[in-house]
Amino acid sequence: MSMHDDILKVLVSEEELKAKVAELGAQISKDYEGRNLVLVSILKGSVVFMADLMRAVSIPCSIDFMVVSSYGGGNTTSTGLVKIIKDLDGDLSGRDVLIVEDILDTGITLSNLVPMLKMRNPNSVKICTILDKPSRRKADIAPDYEGFAVPDEFVVGYGLDYDEKYRNLPYIGVLKPSVYEK
Ligand code: 5GP
């Protein structure tokens, strides 16, 4: 039984992701030249994007990871305020922080997280997300760098899960309705 059998349709292919990440990496390398860049990955959803994006960035940078509360197992609706479950290892003071996200959906997570990070005296805080679902936005927040806008559908793959599965799909897809009935 392959994971691919559970996919109804592919929204963003592996090739499209690869080309977009190269483009984003080149733009970020240009914009952050001579700065003090730290890529902050919000786990677990951004792990695949982070691994690809950091290799597409050609300027010196460091990386750090954070775990915040988001969707629970099997639940497909947002929960509310963000809680830090695992904090960053490094100090942000004087750093140019680029948050690396899987998807900007309601925007509630990042609209809560950005002010928390800004209190740590960084030089700047910006957002880079591979997916954007602007139709679902509840908070007043927009990405500084974005890969693809997706429709209001629950997507999986390229780091994004359903009940902790499908993160290892190399593309972004939509699940067959039968998967939710299992
Ligand atoms: P927010 O609604 O706060 O912008 O989104 C927070 C988190 O919810 C995202 O980082 C992501 O992990 C999860 N999320 C939002 N939309 C989707 C989706 O369509 N699929 C999956 N797998 N996760 C999503």
Side-chain angles (χ1 to χ4, degrees):
M1 167 68 195
S2 157
M3 285 183 303
H4 302 282
D5 299 334
D6 289 343
I7 301 301
L8 180 68
K9 62 180 175 203
V10 175
L11 285 184
V12 189
S13 72
E14 216 177 327
E15 294 71 28
E16 289 171 308
L17 285 162
K18 198 173 170 201
K20 184 64 76 176
V21 171
E23 208 180 281
L24 289 168
Q27 188 63 49
I28 290 163
S29 305
K30 203 168 142 220
D31 296 350
Y32 285 86
E33 175 79 60
R35 309 267 294 277
N36 198 355
L37 177 62
V38 54
L39 300 174
V40 168
S41 161
I42 311 299
L43 294 173
K44 303 173 192 170
S46 74
V47 69
V48 180
F49 179 38
M50 177 71 161
D52 284 347
L53 183 69
M54 63 187 280
R55 287 174 294 174
V57 168
S58 57
I59 56 166
C61 69
S62 59
I63 60 169
D64 212 335
F65 299 89
M66 198 166 200
V67 180
V68 298
S69 58
S70 68
Y71 293 1
N75 188 354
T76 58
T77 50
S78 192
T79 42
L81 291 184
V82 68
K83 192 171 129 202
I84 295 178
I85 294 164
K86 184 237 169 264
D87 208 340
L88 300 169
D89 292 333
D91 191 354
L92 295 186
S93 131
R95 309 298 305 274
D96 291 292
V97 178
L98 186 58
I99 299 173
V100 177
E101 251 296 30
D102 52 356
I103 187 164
L104 198 57
D105 184 28
T106 63
I108 290 168
T109 310
L110 288 190
S111 66
N112 283 288
L113 188 62
V114 168
M116 286 163 93
L117 297 183
K118 282 189 174 163
M119 283 169 71
R120 301 180 186 188
N121 281 321
N123 190 48
S124 64
V125 179
K126 289 196 172 179
I127 299 165
C128 177
T129 185
I130 189 66
L131 300 178
D132 188 16
K133 234 193 245 178
S135 59
R136 293 246 312 160
R137 201 77 87 247
K138 290 199 180 99
D140 182 22
I141 192 163
D144 300 283
Y145 301 91
E146 86 169 62
F148 303 90
V150 290
D152 183 9
E153 285 183 275
F154 192 78
V155 297
V156 295
Y158 202 66
L160 289 124
D161 76 310
Y162 169 65
D163 205 10
E164 291 301 325
K165 292 190 282 281
Y166 308 101
R167 293 192 194 275
N168 55 324
L169 276 177
Y171 51 81
I172 307 277
V174 176
L175 290 171
K176 290 178 181 167
S178 58
V179 175
Y180 299 107
E181 285 146 24
K182 276 177 197 161

